[in-house]
Amino acid sequence: MKNNNLTLIGMPGCGKSTVGVLLAKALGLRFVDTDLLLQQQHGLLLRQIIDAQGIEAFLAAEAGVILALDCENTCIATGGSAVYSEPAMAHLRNISKIVFIDLPCDEIERRVADFRGRGVVMERGQTLPALYAERRPLYLRYAGIVIDARGLGMEALLEEIARRA
């Protein structure tokens, strides 16, 4: 059934996984984290997949995980790089409402100390501000709902998403 799922997109550190679990509980939904599905499928951490297979193979595997999603009544937290795959995002748009948790770059920098160690898809030498500038337009393109999360704690973010979704 179209739009009975809720998908969270946004930069690493914006709260997709954390608020996703809380949102699922609050709304009576199941919860799926595509990063965890990808790790389970490969038996490796995200950074290990990127290191072993390279960025392009990682992105293809991430898109494959998303394209294989066949769920209902589920809150889906995606990896921050999911927006690089137009087919994956089209699939998510077809099965869910897409919510972009929009957080300024400086807040993301404060929340996530080690982007590379976390398994964030970044070109060698790319800075967080450059990555943010590259991805934010993609998040805005695919989002059905944009949540300005600046200064919001988890509870307030949860309430705002629940209210608008």
Side-chain angles (χ1 to χ4, degrees), residues 5 26 28 31 35 47 54 57 79 82 93-94 106 108 117 128 137 139 147 157-158 160:
N5 297 312
F31 177 72
D35 280 348
R47 68 176 157 67
R93 184 179 282 150
N94 191 46
D106 62 331
I108 291 165
L128 176 62
Y139 297 133
I147 304 291
L157 179 58
L158 166 69
E160 184 64 13

Side-chain angles (χ1 to χ4, degrees), residues 8 13-26 31-33 36 75-78 101 111 118 153-155 157-158 161:
L8 305 176
C14 74
K16 299 179 301 285
S17 297
T18 304
V19 81
V21 170
L22 300 172
L23 198 57
K25 282 183 182 181
F31 177 72
V32 169
D33 185 318
L36 294 178
C75 181
I76 304 161
T78 62
I101 301 173
R111 289 183 182 194
R118 185 171 169 157
M154 274 304 139
E155 199 61 37
L157 179 58
L158 166 69
I161 296 170

